[in-house]
Amino acid sequence: MTIPVARPTHRPAPNVLTIAGTDPSGGAGIQADLKAFSANGAYGMSVVTALVAQTTTGVAEVREVPPEFVTAQLATLLDDVRVDAVKIGMLANAGVIRAVVAVLERYAPPHVVLDPVMVAKSGHRLLADEAVAVLRDELLPRVDLITPNLPEAADLLGEREITDSAGMAGQARRLTELGAKQVLLKGGHLRADAGLDLFCGDGGAEFLRRERIETTNDHGTGCTLSAAIAALRPRRPDWAAAVRDGKEYLTEALRAADRLDVGRGHGPVHHFHHWW
């Protein structure tokens, strides 16, 4: 007589996809996204949109992936693998943006986060000027959460960058008027209160304050935060909970960043601070 063996009934880890450019130094782009996915209990996958020659000191060169090959990567993956959440980062040009939009429309993956990467910390522009309108008008309404910093929000709105928290609510509201379902407006560029972010969703607007960590090792913070939120969302009841927990993860990754010694410029945050 065969005795049946009880099998675990736990839910499998979520499968989370990043669509973004590379960073050979490992601090930003798909390399950082995959680390953040793993650190937050998700299985990470990636589709490359651009090959970026980048270090902790800046961007040297960018080679864009043809839109048709971005489509091929995405369609091949989504025809086979269940995708529970998507994080979108650097898209480089209008053709790649439209390729991603078409795939989102065809496959309708749940829980899509857009980090509208436009300019690197070094000042190197990572999204062509003519592509901003395509991202704003065609992609932004098709995602669930956007996570712009203040310069990116100003770029999307065609406005001047705000310099204080008083203007954040207005810009977040105007982004929702463009079609964004939820907005996490990051206040890291604020002169007086760099630890203040604003989350605007179905439950209204909420300012989220975090401890400001004094470190120069802050390369890839935007990539890491948006990736952590995407990884957490399938196991959280709503976007607000995923955003709060993602911010907490990033704060601790910044707190531990000085334990690393990577490069001569802005080093990375410590994605695996819980373990080593």
Side-chain angles (χ1 to χ4, degrees):
M1 176 179 174
T2 302
I3 300 175
V5 177
R7 297 188 179 277
T9 58
H10 65 272
R11 294 170 58 189
N15 299 328
V16 185
L17 168 65
T18 172
I19 307 171
T22 65
D23 175 11
S25 76
I30 59 170
Q31 286 90 339
D33 293 345
L34 292 170
K35 293 175 185 177
F37 293 165
S38 294
N40 285 281
Y43 178 81
M45 304 170 290
S46 63
V47 164
V48 179
T49 61
L51 304 173
V52 185
Q54 179 177 200
T55 68
T56 63
T57 60
V59 175
E61 189 174 350
V62 176
R63 299 289 179 92
E64 297 169 1
V65 174
E68 58 270 21
F69 190 64
V70 172
T71 299
Q73 293 179 78
L74 286 165
T76 301
L77 174 67
L78 290 165
D79 279 341
D80 176 50
V81 180
R82 183 196 79 250
V83 174
D84 299 303
V86 178
K87 176 264 170 82
I88 303 171
M90 177 186 176
L91 297 178
N93 61 55
V96 170
I97 295 171
R98 290 193 168 110
V100 171
V101 168
V103 169
L104 292 180
E105 290 178 339
R106 176 181 172 186
Y107 292 92
H111 309 318
V112 181
V113 178
L114 171 62
D115 183 23
V117 178
M118 298 180 180
V119 181
K121 191 180 295 291
S122 61
H124 190 286
R125 189 156 189 90
L126 299 175
L127 181 67
D129 288 334
E130 62 272 16
V132 174
V134 179
L135 186 145
R136 180 187 64 231
D137 299 337
E138 299 182 30
L139 179 58
L140 185 147
R142 289 173 173 80
V143 305
D144 299 297
L145 171 70
I146 64 170
T147 62
N149 59 29
L150 298 183
E152 291 162 348
D155 216 354
L156 286 168
L157 292 166
E159 300 177 358
R160 298 180 64 179
E161 181 182 340
I162 60 173
T163 57
D164 55 48
S165 60
M168 291 179 71
Q171 284 206 334
R173 176 179 50 79
R174 289 190 289 279
L175 286 169
T176 63
E177 290 170 354
L178 291 176
K181 299 177 181 67
Q182 274 96 203
V183 177
L184 176 63
L185 185 55
K186 299 175 295 190
H189 290 75
L190 290 176
R191 294 173 182 171
D193 202 346
L196 190 68
D197 298 335
L198 176 64
F199 175 68
C200 186
D202 292 339
E206 176 186 3
F207 278 102
L208 303 172
R209 189 179 301 277
R210 64 169 171 82
E211 178 185 353
R212 181 169 183 173
I213 308 298
E214 296 297 335
T215 178
T216 58
N217 293 324
D218 57 359
H219 179 51
T221 52
C223 300
T224 297
L225 176 60
S226 55
I229 293 169
L232 291 164
R233 179 61 184 91
R235 291 166 296 159
R236 296 296 185 273
D238 52 33
W239 284 104
V243 166
R244 292 189 195 99
D245 290 349
K247 280 175 58 65
E248 178 63 25
Y249 164 75
L250 177 61
T251 298
E252 296 308 311
L254 281 163
R255 193 189 311 278
D258 290 351
R259 302 208 304 255
L260 302 175
D261 181 14
V262 181
R264 295 178 288 105
H266 288 271
V269 303
H270 195 335
H271 297 89
F272 295 113
H273 56 272
H274 286 312
W275 293 274
W276 52 273

